[in-house]
């Protein structure tokens, strides 16, 4: 367990955590995003969190995957990797923030900001040049949060997930310079 504050901590995931991870994501992801999927998001969860995909994430030495705890309660996940650059453009020496998901009832408490500060601290300690992430172009609240954290829009592309409703396929790449 890594304590980030008196109330907030993260715990590195192991393969034994896969059933708990997918159950937590059913509780967090489905209510927030079911409207964007033709199947309520079941296909996406299976793609991202099935045992093989999860093991692949854990086996990648660049990948760092955690449960997030607030006041002792498991409330979300954090995943980042470095060095990693987008396929569409090269950001040398960069950290990718893959996922911050927090249970709805814990949003607005500054938890995501604390997690972002942790990720930025790790990137700076490793002398990385950038942090980058992908956010749906329809997720205005998330975009606003990331801009407050110092990220800038670079470009938008479209996902080709068949079960993703067409109006939700736009993905923005945001980047924050650390130099």
């Amino acid at each position: 367990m890594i304590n980030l504050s008196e109330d907030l901590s993260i715990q590195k995931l192991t393969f034994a955590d896969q059933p708990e991870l997918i159950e937590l994501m059913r509780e967090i992801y489905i209510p927030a995003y079911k409207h964007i999927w033709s199947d309520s998001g079941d296909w996406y969860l299976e793609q991202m969190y099935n045992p093989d995909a999860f093991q692949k994430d854990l086996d990648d030495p660049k990948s760092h995957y955690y449960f997030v705890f607030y006041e002792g309660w498991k409330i979300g996940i954090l995943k980042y990797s470095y060095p990693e650059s987008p396929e569409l453009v090269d950001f040398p020496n960069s950290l990718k923030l893959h996922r911050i998901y927090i249970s709805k009832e814990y949003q607005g408490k500054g938890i995501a900001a604390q997690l972002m500060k942790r990720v930025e601290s790790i990137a700076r300690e490793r002398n990385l040049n950038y942090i980058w992430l992908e956010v749906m172009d329809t997720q205005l609240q998330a975009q606003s949060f990331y801009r407050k954290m110092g990220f800038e829009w670079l470009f938008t592309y479209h996902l080709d997930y068949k079960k993703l409703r067409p109006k939700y396929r736009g993905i923005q790449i945001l980047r924050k310079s650390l130099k």
Side-chain angles (χ1 to χ4, degrees), residues 105-164:
E105 58 269 24
Y106 292 94
Q107 293 175 9
K109 297 181 180 295
I111 294 167
Q114 288 182 65
L115 294 171
M116 289 297 299
K117 287 178 185 171
R118 167 73 180 183
V119 169
E120 184 172 334
S121 174
I122 288 164
R124 289 186 184 282
E125 287 169 8
R126 283 146 185 85
N127 294 315
L128 299 176
N129 297 332
Y130 303 100
I131 300 173
W132 68 279
L133 56 89
E134 297 170 313
V135 62
M136 298 179 93
D137 65 3
T138 55
Q139 292 294 96
L140 302 180
Q141 182 180 356
Q143 291 172 34
S144 176
F145 168 74
Y146 291 127
R147 284 188 174 82
K148 284 181 193 172
M149 299 302 295
F151 286 82
E152 298 176 325
W153 174 88
L154 292 177
F155 61 90
T156 301
Y157 72 95
H158 293 278
L159 286 176
D160 192 26
Y161 292 163
K162 290 187 183 355
K163 294 191 183 281
L164 185 60

Side-chain angles (χ1 to χ4, degrees), residues 84-117:
E84 185 168 339
S85 186
E87 290 180 20
L88 303 172
V89 64
D90 188 29
F91 303 154
N93 205 30
S94 298
L95 180 147
K96 179 182 183 185
L97 177 62
H98 287 272
R99 296 182 184 104
I100 291 182
Y101 287 119
I102 305 294
S103 294
K104 185 174 179 123
E105 58 269 24
Y106 292 94
Q107 293 175 9
K109 297 181 180 295
I111 294 167
Q114 288 182 65
L115 294 171
M116 289 297 299
K117 287 178 185 171

Side-chain angles (χ1 to χ4, degrees), residues 15-34:
F15 186 72
D17 295 318
Q18 188 273 340
E20 205 170 343
L21 171 63
I22 200 161
E23 186 57 35
L24 180 65
M25 293 314 298
R26 285 189 200 291
E27 293 171 14
I28 294 173
Y29 186 88
I30 296 294
Y33 293 97
K34 66 183 174 187

Side-chain angles (χ1 to χ4, degrees), residues 40 66 80 177:
S40 298
Y66 300 90
Y80 58 87
S177 177

